[in-house]
Amino acid sequence: MTSTMLTIVLLTISNVFMTVAWYGHLKYPQATLWMAILVAWGIALFEYCFQVPANRIGNQAGITLPQLKIMQEVITLVVFCVFASTCMGYKITWNYYAGFAFVLVGVFFVYLKW
């Protein structure tokens, strides 16, 4: 597996944990806020265990800092859409997809060699 692919895989795993930590507690409104915070922190620990190595491996492979950031944002949007629709039952409508498409335009500008 190439360093770039490993970076993408680690960022994807990281984003799954991050999305669950940030939004999963919304499914349990009866839980106290302090409990939601503690659980989210516990989940976020695992997120960092994948995010930090992903960024280091990617940077050492020659992926620039802005490229790492835009890569992470695209992965975040994909993971979020899957999570929101499958786990939270949220309908992602055309206008959300249109907004996400603008982020993909950003990928073009960040990765294109000018």
Side-chain angles (χ1 to χ4, degrees):
M1 180 180 299
T2 67
S3 296
T4 300
M5 283 305 300
L6 182 57
T7 299
I8 291 169
V9 168
L10 291 173
L11 284 175
T12 302
I13 295 168
S14 164
N15 273 279
V16 169
F17 282 111
M18 178 193 72
T19 301
V20 171
W22 282 16
Y23 302 108
H25 64 89
L26 297 176
K27 198 164 186 166
Y28 305 97
Q30 71 280 8
T32 61
L33 182 58
W34 68 267
M35 182 60 74
I37 291 169
L38 288 178
V39 170
W41 277 355
I43 295 169
L45 170 66
F46 293 101
E47 184 249 335
Y48 277 91
C49 290
F50 291 97
Q51 174 104 24
V52 172
N55 286 328
R56 285 201 171 212
I57 292 166
N59 187 254
Q60 290 170 352
I63 302 171
T64 67
L65 192 62
Q67 289 172 334
L68 280 168
K69 182 59 181 170
I70 199 74
M71 180 188 296
Q72 185 267 330
E73 292 301 332
V74 169
I75 292 168
T76 296
L77 289 174
V78 171
V79 169
F80 175 79
C81 286
V82 171
F83 175 83
S85 60
T86 60
C87 297
M88 302 296 282
Y90 198 85
K91 182 169 172 40
I92 307 294
T93 56
W94 73 268
N95 56 318
Y96 294 116
Y97 287 116
F100 298 159
F102 283 108
V103 173
L104 292 178
V105 171
V107 171
F108 169 78
F109 285 104
V110 170
Y111 276 90
L112 185 68
K113 302 293 182 207
W114 294 93

